[in-house]
Amino acid sequence: MNDKADSIRLYSAEVCPFAHRTRLLLAEKGAAYELNEIDLKNMPAWFRDISPYGKVPLLEVGDDRVWESAVINEYLEETLPDPPLMPADAAGRANARIWIDYANNYFVPYFYKLLLEQDANRQEELAVRLRERLGHMETVGFGAGNPGPWWLGAQFTLVDLSFYPFFERFCVLEHYRHVSLADYPRLFDWLQAMGQRDSVQAHQLASDLYLRRYAEYANGTAAGKTAQEMRDA
Ligand SMILES: N[C@@H](CCC(=O)N[C@@H](CS)C(=O)NCC(=O)O)C(=O)O
């Protein structure tokens, strides 16, 4: 067990893919923590007071308060180094950060934009863009240089944790926007390998729950902060 484990407090929401990243990381580290579920549709005023962006995940460890899932996960990687989830060498860590940046800035916004879009022509344009990005992930991420099974090869890393929650939710894009992962066999294999991990199995939610919870994104009525920001992204 890790030294700081007892004082870790995570504010999370079951459906949130960003918070999912951190719950998976804490499971991979074997860290005990206090989980506080926040109702995103009825966010308590006290939570808005402590969350600078008004979003989950938010992490508290002793006097430290950290937000933004990618930053939280790097913070936890530094404070709970065992087992290591980043490459040992600087170039490897740079590569990991490039993929985490790709997830956050090239992939995730298109996941949301396509889901939120109501105009059929624009949906088609966004689907083309999303498929380009999936193609990049398939051919560069899982190209000839990567023997797998993980995003960076033999080592399971924060990169796997950054992407996975959005692929667990990919059923939403398949159902509402008819984008399939069938054209991306190596990504599909990676997803199958992820599904074997204890951490993933312990936190997995059923597809029909995601379809219900993302219905307001798909029909354009989602009014939360994240939906607004992703529309504008
Ligand atoms: N970039 C942030 C995104 C976090 C985020 O968007 N969280 C959503 C839930 S999935 C949230 O709390 N949204 C508040 C709202 O929609 O009002 C991160 O990586 O942590």
Side-chain angles (χ1 to χ4, degrees), residues 13 15-19 21-22 38 40-41 43 47-48 51 53-58 67-72 104 108 112 166 169 214 217 223-230:
V15 75
C16 175
F18 304 98
R21 290 170 163 175
T22 298
I38 300 297
L40 295 177
K41 292 201 155 187
M43 198 172 271
F47 180 70
R48 290 186 193 281
S51 172
Y53 291 174
K55 292 178 186 172
V56 295
L58 178 76
W67 54 98
E68 281 297 312
S69 57
V71 179
I72 290 173
N104 290 337
V108 169
Y112 280 101
F166 297 91
R169 289 156 180 76
Y214 281 94
Y217 276 75
K225 197 177 227 181
T226 303
Q228 299 290 1
E229 286 178 4
M230 291 294 176

Side-chain angles (χ1 to χ4, degrees), residues 99 136-143 146 150-152 186:
W99 279 115
H136 176 84
M137 288 146 71
E138 173 82 6
T139 55
V140 179
F142 287 97
N146 181 0
W150 310 118
W151 209 284
L152 298 187
R186 298 215 55 207

Side-chain angles (χ1 to χ4, degrees), residues 67-82:
W67 54 98
E68 281 297 312
S69 57
V71 179
I72 290 173
N73 279 11
E74 283 231 32
Y75 168 91
L76 287 170
E77 175 63 13
E78 287 180 26
T79 53
L80 307 172
D82 183 31

